[in-house]
Amino acid sequence: MTRAHLPGIIAMAAIVVASNILVQYLFGNWLTWGAFTYPLAFLVTDIMNRVYGAGPARTVVFVGFIVGVFCSLVGTQIMGEFGPLVTFRIAIGSGLAFLTAQLLDVGIFSALRNGAWWKAPLVSTLVGSTVDTAVFFTIAFSASLAFIEPGNDVSWAGEALPILGFGPIAPLWVSLAIADWAVKLTLALIALAPFRAITARVVAPAEMR
């Protein structure tokens, strides 16, 4: 790690902390405000990968993971209306989803880095975001994994409702996951603009193609 990597490390840490705070506040019926900040972690990882390579990008990911674990530990000690703000299942799901998805993002980006400038950040973020959503919501709320934390009642997440209020019947957590995933995919497209603008300033034009 060098001083040049500090902006990426600070940005990742700030995104993780902000997302852990904003996830406590609802946005509509299916989302929290954290859904709009967390996907920026993929942007930070991809910029670090393009500018400095896979090694520094993984360093930023591990820093984000450590910060996330710390936030989860703090959250387990804060009592809300229905118990701890962060349960054991949410902590496990969040940490595993973040680490798996971000490292997958780094690997895919590295494999595609010599293609068109937009391909590596777009594909890596789309795949990483999909895995992140699937891993987190399944671990945190699926009834099939209730054995992870038997004392944590998440039956509310299993309530059978139309998906997003108008689709086929499915557990509530499926709607939450789909809404979260849709935000991630939308932001993946929007993030191409700042990715291009930031990396074009520091990467040789021939490398950007």
Side-chain angles (χ1 to χ4, degrees), residues 5 8-9 12 44-45 48 55-65:
H5 302 156
I9 290 172
M12 179 64 81
V44 172
T45 301
M48 290 296 297
R58 290 190 186 97
T59 298
V60 168
V61 168
F62 286 122
V63 169
F65 174 72

Side-chain angles (χ1 to χ4, degrees), residues 16-31:
V16 171
V17 171
S19 298
N20 274 271
I21 294 173
L22 293 174
V23 75
Q24 309 298 327
Y25 300 94
L26 294 176
F27 178 86
N29 295 323
W30 316 109
L31 295 166

Side-chain angles (χ1 to χ4, degrees), residues 105-170:
D105 178 278
V106 173
I108 294 174
F109 189 104
S110 297
L112 300 176
R113 68 181 301 117
N114 293 323
W117 72 267
W118 54 268
K119 185 175 294 185
L122 182 60
V123 174
S124 63
T125 299
L126 291 180
V127 174
S129 296
T130 301
V131 170
D132 182 274
T133 299
V135 170
F136 172 72
F137 282 92
T138 300
I139 292 177
F141 301 118
S142 174
S144 63
L145 297 180
F147 64 87
I148 294 176
E149 190 179 13
N152 175 29
D153 181 12
V154 292
S155 58
W156 60 268
E159 182 181 0
L161 295 169
I163 293 179
L164 299 178
F166 60 85
I169 300 298

